[in-house]
Amino acid sequence: MMRKDEFGEIVQMATDTIRSNKLRSSLTVLGIVIGVAMVIGVSSIGRGLDDNVRDLVASIGSNVIFAYHLEPFTLRLTQELRTRKKLTFEDAQAMAQLPHVKAVTAGIRFFRPELGVGTYAVKYQDRKVKNTILEGATSAAKDVFDLHITEGRWFSESDDERRAPLIVLCHDTAAELFPSESPLGHEINIDGRLFTVIGVLDKIKSVFGGGKDPNDNRVFFPLSTFKTLHPELKDHWISVKATSHDDMPKAVDEIRELLRRRRKVPPGKRDDFSVFTSDSLSDFWNQLTGMLFVGMFAISSVGLIVGGVGVMNIMLVSVTERTREIGIRKAIGARKRDILLQFTLEAIILTAVGGLIGVLLGAIVVGIIPALWPSLPAHMSMFWTIFGFTSAAAVGLIFGIYPAWKAANLDPIEALRYE
């Protein structure tokens, strides 16, 4: 059994050896530092985005159902998807009569879907806002999405019926056009026509936290008014608010049955439309982050393995350089386990220090990211911090055990003869 003072002496010898070769030790653990810092940085960004997605889903509402003629998050359109019949305003009106539906709105949006931004420039006097998304919505949109209006009001049914030239501005659009005054009652020039501002929406929750979100640069019209501006657009996006969260499955079934009947889908044939909930956004995000963390783990593992190989290489060189020293220690009574423990501790201390530096560097990166990119959230994760540090120490144990074993098994007579 090893005494405490013996163990303390071995630890002191290991740390003294590392201190005496500071430059070599620093270069040895560089891969460890980078690997751990990468784990901390990427996991912190991932956690921040996760929190924002949860907040976004909560802001949409737990009892909101969406219907569209295409599948959500489809990146590649097949021939069948391209030829699908679009949903209509009449479909939305029919859904409003279903037993477990509280409110329904149909919307049409004019924007560039591949970039998520608009193409219009809206003007007020000498001020202009570019890349604005134009969107038509019904009076029920306020109830479906629980929209928060900071000034003015939302459209009424009569505004929609008489195709009134009225608009509601989103937060960023209003702030840029009217930096020092209320926009209510002012007329905005959109595509050569004048529209009166009757309301302003609060800033929406975004997946990327702070910064500007394209959805905050939108102009809402009554749906019938929007159709006079863009009669060629016919792909309605229907949003439904169920009577309660518990009634969601019933409402989804009722909507699917209604659309299949209205679109004359034969029994046994798959739906030619999509009905999904806000949970689909969470599921899609979880799939993306799952792939992200697999990639993060793979990249950080490469860094840690490269660092481990560097540690093993330097430890083998150290064993060779200190062969005579090992022989002398054995000659005066050092046991195999003493030599094994000393060299193993050197590797573990080396990588543990590298892991600690990596954690500190990762923390600095997490602090810098929001300052450089306000739209990119980063919340440091305690789990991944501990994981990164313990992984670094484990690398020292795994990659340091062979050089330590080699040192412990040197023949003392041959070691003393080594020049």
Side-chain angles (χ1 to χ4, degrees):
M1 188 74 179
M2 181 177 291
R3 299 194 308 272
K4 286 185 179 180
D5 57 339
E6 290 180 341
F7 180 77
E9 288 178 7
I10 293 172
V11 172
Q12 185 63 46
M13 291 177 65
T15 53
D16 288 344
T17 302
I18 293 172
R19 287 173 183 167
S20 63
N21 297 279
K22 293 179 182 178
L23 179 59
R24 186 168 72 179
S25 299
S26 301
L27 295 175
T28 301
V29 299
L30 189 58
I32 303 290
V33 171
I34 294 173
V36 172
M38 187 174 295
V39 170
I40 303 298
V42 176
S43 64
S44 299
I45 294 172
R47 185 184 176 194
L49 291 174
D50 281 343
D51 292 343
N52 283 2
V53 167
R54 283 193 290 270
D55 292 342
L56 178 60
V57 171
S59 70
I60 292 173
S62 60
N63 57 339
V64 177
I65 304 166
F66 304 98
Y68 195 54
H69 69 284
L70 297 177
E71 303 297 327
F73 316 116
T74 302
L75 301 177
R76 187 175 181 182
L77 295 179
T78 63
Q79 180 63 23
E80 187 271 331
L81 290 174
R82 282 195 294 267
T83 56
R84 280 187 180 181
K85 184 173 65 173
K86 296 176 175 61
L87 299 181
T88 65
F89 179 68
E90 288 70 29
D91 291 329
Q93 288 179 312
M95 291 179 196
Q97 309 305 317
L98 295 174
H100 294 95
V101 170
K102 183 177 181 180
V104 180
T105 183
I108 301 177
R109 176 181 282 201
F110 188 87
F111 74 125
R112 298 175 64 184
E114 70 278 6
L115 298 177
V117 300
T119 60
Y120 270 90
V122 297
K123 305 173 186 176
Y124 174 72
Q125 295 180 355
D126 60 341
R127 292 189 284 272
K128 179 192 296 186
V129 179
K130 296 181 179 179
N131 299 325
T132 302
I133 298 171
L134 306 186
E135 189 164 340
T138 67
S139 59
K142 182 177 182 296
D143 300 321
V144 172
F145 295 112
D146 297 324
L147 297 175
H148 184 209
I149 298 178
T150 56
E151 290 185 77
R153 64 178 179 87
W154 189 254
F155 315 119
S156 64
E157 286 188 24
S158 62
D159 293 332
D160 204 354
E161 289 171 358
R162 63 189 178 87
R163 300 179 181 178
L166 306 175
I167 55 174
V168 172
L169 302 180
C170 282
H171 179 273
D172 290 353
T173 315
E176 291 191 38
L177 288 178
F178 301 93
S180 58
E181 59 182 316
S182 171
L184 298 183
H186 293 288
E187 292 184 328
I188 306 299
N189 187 323
I190 302 175
D191 201 22
R193 295 172 57 179
L194 296 177
F195 297 88
T196 304
V197 180
I198 62 168
V200 178
L201 291 179
D202 196 5
K203 196 172 184 65
I204 67 170
K205 289 184 180 295
S206 169
V207 172
F208 294 100
K212 292 191 175 183
D213 188 296
N215 286 304
D216 276 322
N217 183 19
R218 284 185 293 173
V219 173
F220 282 97
F221 303 77
L223 185 59
S224 58
T225 305
F226 182 82
K227 288 181 178 179
T228 64
L229 194 64
H230 284 286
E232 77 283 1
L233 298 180
K234 305 200 182 286
D235 48 342
H236 293 77
W237 187 286
I238 300 175
S239 304
V240 180
K241 190 167 193 176
T243 49
S244 70
H245 183 72
D246 293 337
D247 290 336
M248 289 273 284
K250 297 177 183 177
V252 169
D253 290 340
E254 290 169 358
I255 293 168
R256 288 188 66 249
E257 183 181 349
L258 173 71
L259 289 177
R260 286 182 67 89
R261 189 171 64 250
R262 289 181 59 85
R263 295 165 73 88
K264 298 181 174 58
V265 179
K269 189 175 181 181
R270 60 174 293 186
D271 297 340
D272 62 351
F273 56 88
S274 178
V275 178
F276 54 97
T277 66
S278 54
D279 291 337
S280 301
L281 176 62
S282 297
D283 294 340
F284 177 70
W285 177 254
N286 289 335
Q287 291 178 8
L288 283 181
T289 52
M291 292 185 289
L292 173 69
F293 277 108
V294 168
M296 177 200 74
F297 185 78
I299 294 171
S300 60
S301 296
V302 170
L304 291 173
I305 290 171
V306 169
V309 171
V311 169
M312 180 183 284
N313 182 47
I314 292 300
M315 290 301 296
L316 288 171
V317 171
S318 179
V319 169
T320 302
E321 289 178 346
R322 296 155 63 190
T323 299
R324 187 171 180 81
E325 173 195 327
I326 295 168
I328 294 172
R329 289 199 61 207
K330 283 193 169 188
I332 61 176
R335 295 161 295 185
K336 278 188 177 182
R337 67 180 184 182
D338 296 332
I339 305 298
L340 181 68
L341 181 60
Q342 178 187 345
F343 279 84
T344 303
L345 282 175
E346 282 184 25
I348 293 175
I349 292 171
L350 199 61
T351 54
V353 170
L356 182 60
I357 296 172
V359 169
L360 295 175
L361 180 61
I364 293 171
V365 170
V366 171
I368 291 175
I369 285 174
L372 297 179
W373 297 282
S375 62
L376 197 60
H379 301 160
M380 199 161 176
S381 168
M382 182 59 67
F383 171 80
W384 287 104
T385 301
I386 296 172
F387 173 81
F389 178 77
T390 54
S391 296
V395 164
L397 176 61
I398 294 169
F399 286 88
I401 196 71
Y402 173 70
W405 176 86
K406 185 178 179 181
N409 284 277
L410 284 175
D411 183 87
I413 297 176
E414 294 295 328
L416 286 170
R417 289 175 179 174
Y418 184 81
E419 293 295 338

